[in-house]
Amino acid sequence: MHISVKCFATLAKHTPPGADSFEVPDGVTVSDLLAVLGIPAAEVKIVFVGGVAAALDAVLHDGSRVGIFPAVGGG
C-alpha cells in the first residue's frame, strides 16, 4: 500500500525519497514505520495520521498521510 510521509524539524533527514508515495506492507503500524525509517521512538513527540494525533500502535491504511514530529524546545 502507498502512504505519504513527512518528517519535521530534526527528523526531516528521515523523510524517505518518494515520500508522497512511500510503499509499506498492509497492516503496518506507526511504530513499524518508524523502524523502517530508522527513527528511534524516543525521539518522536507526536505523530499525525490524516491530520489527527495518532498512537504508535495505530495501523496505517492505503493513502494515509503521516506527519512525524520531534520534541521541540524554545525560549
Side-chain angles (χ1 to χ4, degrees):
M1 69 180 179
H2 294 277
I3 62 171
S4 298
V5 180
K6 176 113 186 206
C7 301
F8 294 86
T10 58
L11 299 178
K13 64 185 175 203
H14 294 283
T15 298
D20 289 336
S21 187
F22 188 66
E23 190 166 339
V24 294
D26 289 341
V28 73
T29 65
V30 170
S31 183
D32 297 332
L33 177 62
L34 295 179
V36 167
L37 297 175
I39 303 172
E43 291 185 20
V44 176
K45 178 65 174 177
I46 192 163
V47 175
F48 288 100
V49 177
V52 178
L56 296 181
D57 63 351
V59 177
L60 302 176
H61 303 283
D62 191 46
S64 290
R65 294 176 300 119
V66 182
I68 304 169
F69 295 82
V72 290

